[in-house]
Amino acid sequence: MNSPQLQRGVFLALLAIVTVAFLWVLMPFFGAVLWGVALAILFTPLYKRLLKKMPGWPNAAALSTLAICLFIVILPLAMVGVSLVQEIVQVTQSIRSGQINFAAYFQQILNAVPQWLMSIFERFNLGDMEAWQARISAGAAQGSQLIAGQALTIGQNTFDFLISFFVMLYLLYFLVRDGSTLSKMMREAVPLAKPHTHYLLNKFTTVIRATIKGNVAVAIAQGAIGGLAFWLLGVQGALLWAVLMAFLSLLPAVGAALIWGPVAIYYLATGHLWQGGILIFVGVFVIGLVDNILRPVLVGKDTQMPDYIVLMSTIGGMAIFGINGFVIGPVIAALFMAAWSLFVESGQLETGPGEDGKSR
C-alpha cells in the first residue's frame, strides 16, 4: 500500500497545500511583497557595486542600498504625498464653495461653440445643454465627495500603511542582501529544464526592471512638465493635476491628454488663445514626445514586447490589480509570450526535419 508512487502523490499534494496556504497568509501584504521584490530587482545592481567597494560587508552594503532607496525614491514620494493631501483638501473646499465651478466652465465653452456645431449636437440628441450642465455639476459634487472620502480613508488606514511600509523595507533589506542565493534556490527548485528556468527568471527580472524604470520615469516626466505648465498658467491645484497626469500617463499614448486636453479646450473657447496655444504645444510636442520617445526606449526595448501588448497588459493589469497592475500586467504578458516561445521552440526541436527532410 505504501508505494513510492503514493508517497510522491501525497507529498506533492502536501506541497501544493502548504504553498497555497503560505500565499494566503501573505495576501494582506501583497503590495508590500510586490514592491519589496520589485525594488530589490531594481537596486540589486547598486548593491553589487557597493559590495565590491566594501567586500566582506554584505550587511553594510545592503543597509547602504536601503538608505539610498529611501533617499531617492521613498522620501520624495512621501513629501509629494503630504503636499498632495493638502492640495486635495483645498481643491475640494473650492469645489464645494463654488470657487471652482465646472458647470460654469462648461457654459463658457458652450457660449463659444458655433451655431452649426450646436445644430449637429442637436441632430444627435446631444443638444440638451441644461441636462449636460446638471450632469457635470452632479459629477463634480460626486467627485469632490469621492476625493474627500479617499483622503479620509487614507488617513484612517495610516496604521495599515505604515505596517506594510516597514514590512516592505524589512523584506527589501533581505532580498537585496540574499537575492542571489534565493534566485539560485528558486532555479534549482522549479521543475523545468535549467535553460528554460534561467530564461524565464531573466525575463521576469528584466520586465520588472524595465517597466518600473520606464513607466515611472515617463510618469514623473509627464506629470512634472504638465504640472509646471499648469502652475505657470495659473491653474488652481497644479500639484493635484500633475499627480493625476502622472498616474494617467501609466496608460501609454492617451494618459496625460485626458487632463491637459480639456483645460486647453477651455482656454481656447473662452478667448485665452495664447494660454490654450501654449498648453497644446506643451502637451503635444513636449509631453507627447516624452511618451513617444522615452517609453519605447525604456519599456519596449528591454521587454521586447510590441507597444499594443504593453498598452493592453498595463490597462488590464490596473483594472484587475489596481495601481500594482502597471507592473503585474506587463510581467504576466512577458511571461506568457516567453513561455509560448519556449513551447514552440521545444516543439520544433522535437518534431523538426530529419536528415531526409521529413518530420521526425
Side-chain angles (χ1 to χ4, degrees):
M1 285 295 292
N2 195 9
S3 64
Q5 292 81 3
L6 178 61
Q7 293 177 6
R8 180 173 177 80
V10 171
F11 175 75
L12 291 177
L14 177 63
L15 183 64
I17 291 172
V18 296
T19 301
V20 171
F22 179 69
L23 294 176
W24 182 47
V25 169
L26 293 182
M27 279 305 295
F29 302 103
F30 172 75
V33 173
L34 171 67
W35 286 105
V37 172
L39 290 175
I41 291 172
L42 199 62
F43 282 91
T44 292
L46 174 62
Y47 165 75
K48 291 181 178 179
R49 286 197 293 269
L50 292 175
L51 190 59
K52 289 181 180 179
K53 295 181 178 180
M54 49 181 77
W57 295 84
N59 293 330
L63 284 174
S64 300
T65 304
L66 194 62
I68 294 173
C69 178
L70 278 170
F71 182 74
I72 68 175
V73 176
I74 298 173
L75 289 181
L77 287 177
M79 294 172 62
V80 171
V82 172
S83 301
L84 179 61
V85 170
Q86 296 175 350
E87 189 109 323
I88 288 174
V89 172
Q90 294 177 359
V91 171
T92 302
Q93 292 175 350
S94 298
I95 293 174
R96 290 177 175 176
S97 65
Q99 185 178 354
I100 297 179
N101 191 335
F102 291 104
Y105 300 153
F106 183 67
Q107 183 61 50
Q108 290 178 305
I109 295 175
L110 291 181
N111 295 336
V113 173
Q115 188 59 41
W116 61 268
L117 187 56
M118 290 293 297
S119 62
I120 293 176
F121 287 159
E122 292 174 356
R123 187 176 303 172
F124 289 96
N125 297 323
L126 300 174
D128 190 357
M129 296 308 165
E130 292 183 0
W132 279 106
Q133 282 186 298
R135 293 192 192 107
I136 291 174
S137 298
Q142 292 177 357
S144 63
Q145 292 175 0
L146 178 62
I147 292 172
Q150 290 297 324
L152 181 61
T153 300
I154 292 172
Q156 292 174 342
N157 294 335
T158 301
F159 183 70
D160 293 338
F161 170 78
L162 289 176
I163 292 177
S164 298
F165 177 73
F166 284 108
V167 168
M168 183 201 71
L169 290 181
Y170 187 74
L171 181 63
L172 176 60
Y173 168 78
F174 287 103
L175 288 177
V176 166
R177 192 192 67 178
D178 305 327
S180 299
T181 303
L182 294 174
S183 177
K184 182 179 178 181
M185 291 174 57
M186 188 177 298
R187 286 196 299 269
E188 293 175 352
V190 173
L192 290 175
K194 298 308 177 186
H196 291 178
T197 303
H198 184 73
Y199 174 73
L200 290 175
L201 286 177
N202 280 348
K203 176 65 70 173
F204 173 77
T205 56
T206 299
V207 170
I208 284 187
R209 189 178 294 118
T211 301
I212 293 178
K213 285 195 303 183
N215 284 340
V216 171
V218 170
I220 292 174
Q222 290 190 330
I225 294 170
L228 180 61
F230 275 27
W231 179 71
L232 291 175
L233 293 174
V235 178
Q236 187 171 354
L239 178 61
L240 173 60
W241 304 124
V243 172
L244 288 177
M245 277 188 278
F247 177 77
L248 290 174
S249 70
L250 296 175
L251 305 178
V254 297
L258 297 175
I259 301 296
W260 65 259
V263 179
I265 293 173
Y266 168 77
Y267 275 134
L268 295 177
T270 55
H272 299 83
L273 299 181
W274 72 269
Q275 291 95 329
I278 289 176
L279 195 53
I280 290 175
F281 176 82
V282 171
V284 174
F285 294 103
V286 182
I287 296 177
L289 284 179
V290 167
D291 186 79
N292 294 330
I293 294 176
L294 281 184
R295 193 184 301 273
V297 171
L298 295 177
V299 181
K301 182 179 179 181
D302 287 340
T303 60
Q304 296 180 349
M305 290 194 298
D307 289 344
Y308 63 90
I309 295 293
V310 175
L311 173 62
M312 291 189 297
S313 62
T314 301
I315 295 175
M318 293 176 68
I320 297 173
F321 300 102
I323 186 64
N324 297 325
F326 87 87
V327 175
I328 300 175
V331 167
I332 293 175
L335 291 178
F336 169 81
M337 296 175 65
W340 275 98
S341 176
L342 289 175
F343 176 77
V344 171
E345 290 176 3
S346 61
Q348 289 176 347
L349 289 174
E350 292 176 0
T351 61
E355 294 179 359
D356 57 355
K358 297 181 181 180
S359 297
R360 290 176 182 148

